[in-house]
Amino acid sequence: DAVVLAGGSEKPRDLPVPGRELDGVHFAMDFLRANSRRVQGVPGAEDELISAAGKHVVVIGGGDTGSDCIGTSIRHGCKSLVNFELLPQPPVDRPEFQPWPYWPMRLRTSSSHEEGGDRHWSILAQSFNGENGRVRSVVTVDVEFTARNGARPEMQVIAGSEREWPAELVLLAMGFTGSEQGPLLAQFDLNLDERSNLSTVAPYATARPGLFAAGDARRGQSLIVWAIAEGREAARQVDLYLMGQTDLPEIG
């Protein structure tokens, strides 16, 4: 009588540059998921493993997923590791224009960062070079962001800043772009918002009666605490829909 869609937001943001098709260039979650399955002792997981052992590793993306890739690569025993972030390095302390209770965009160093690797900001990967079908290096340029007349900052490439980095394993950890648009969502013919998340017209309710959405599938990639809270709130809305009343607590 009611269905809750909470399938997450796992469609990764790609990097369509020359050389993207080379072996050794992987989405971060493919790398991390295979490693987790091996650690958990799943049969056959060893055959799926993408190993960083003895390799020059480049992680593109500076968020939590990129941090996980850094720590995992170091524990595999990689030869070297560099991490690229497109945006400028944020300040260590809370910026004045983001006072409490706003979420501060400041420099965060995870336990994985502390294990090793070099972090670089304001850098854009332009292409991958390969040999015999496998990636061997990443070509980058430095960038800067300039705002004019109060408009949104625009990215500009810094002339003469091209560099080439050794890379035998490249992990793309640049975020996610919504739910995977598989046959289940196509069957329901659901509306998506501007960020390709499942659109709701009332609290957790889609435009189709009896069909609800919650978690990353509804709000986009976020933290597990949000997924837990949204699951509880969605359950309350489903109870109201089915019973006309509810004893479940309202969250927030």
Side-chain angles (χ1 to χ4, degrees):
D1 297 307
V3 173
V4 179
L5 296 172
S9 173
E10 293 192 0
K11 187 177 181 181
R13 180 173 285 108
D14 207 344
L15 186 61
V17 299
R20 170 63 180 88
E21 75 285 351
L22 291 167
D23 288 342
V25 182
H26 301 275
F27 287 122
M29 290 304 296
D30 293 338
F31 172 71
L32 295 173
R33 186 181 291 113
N35 184 76
S36 293
R37 287 168 59 83
R38 183 186 71 158
V39 171
Q40 293 164 7
V42 176
E46 196 70 35
D47 298 332
E48 304 171 5
L49 184 69
I50 302 170
S51 177
K55 296 177 181 177
H56 295 292
V57 179
V58 173
V59 177
I60 302 178
D64 292 337
T65 304
S67 172
D68 290 343
C69 289
I70 292 171
T72 301
S73 297
I74 291 173
R75 293 167 201 176
H76 280 189
C78 63
K79 186 181 299 183
S80 69
L81 189 143
V82 292
N83 179 210
F84 299 152
E85 169 59 60
L86 181 65
L87 298 175
Q89 180 175 342
V92 175
D93 299 319
R94 179 188 289 272
E96 292 184 1
F97 62 88
Q98 291 174 330
W100 187 90
Y102 294 102
W103 177 256
M105 297 301 294
R106 60 181 180 82
L107 180 64
R108 289 176 170 81
T109 300
S110 71
S111 57
S112 292
H113 293 134
E114 293 173 349
E115 292 184 38
D118 295 321
R119 304 167 74 183
H120 300 266
W121 286 266
S122 299
I123 192 167
L124 172 68
Q126 284 198 318
S127 64
F128 303 118
N129 293 330
E131 181 180 331
N132 298 323
R134 289 200 58 84
V135 67
R136 286 292 178 260
S137 66
V138 180
V139 177
T140 68
V141 290
D142 296 337
V143 298
E144 59 183 357
F145 290 84
T146 305
R148 295 182 175 87
N149 301 322
R152 185 175 182 177
E154 296 182 357
M155 185 181 70
Q156 304 290 333
V157 172
I158 298 176
S161 63
E162 184 175 292
R163 285 181 282 179
E164 187 172 5
W165 310 73
E168 296 164 293
L169 175 63
V170 178
L171 302 171
L172 305 180
M174 303 175 298
F176 301 84
T177 60
S179 300
E180 292 284 0
Q181 305 302 307
L184 178 64
L185 297 187
Q187 174 186 330
F188 285 129
D189 191 25
L190 295 173
N191 294 325
L192 304 178
D193 63 18
E194 66 277 3
R195 299 180 61 191
S196 298
N197 302 315
L198 301 182
S199 180
T200 52
V201 297
Y204 302 96
T206 70
R208 296 198 56 167
L211 198 59
F212 298 80
D216 288 1
R218 187 190 78 90
R219 67 179 295 121
Q221 196 76 13
S222 189
L223 302 175
I224 186 64
V225 290
W226 275 114
I228 294 170
E230 292 219 348
R232 296 178 66 182
E233 291 175 340
R236 185 176 190 275
Q237 295 302 319
V238 171
D239 199 24
L240 278 169
Y241 170 76
L242 294 175
M243 307 301 294
Q245 61 181 11
T246 183
D247 293 328
L248 294 176
E250 188 170 5
I251 308 297

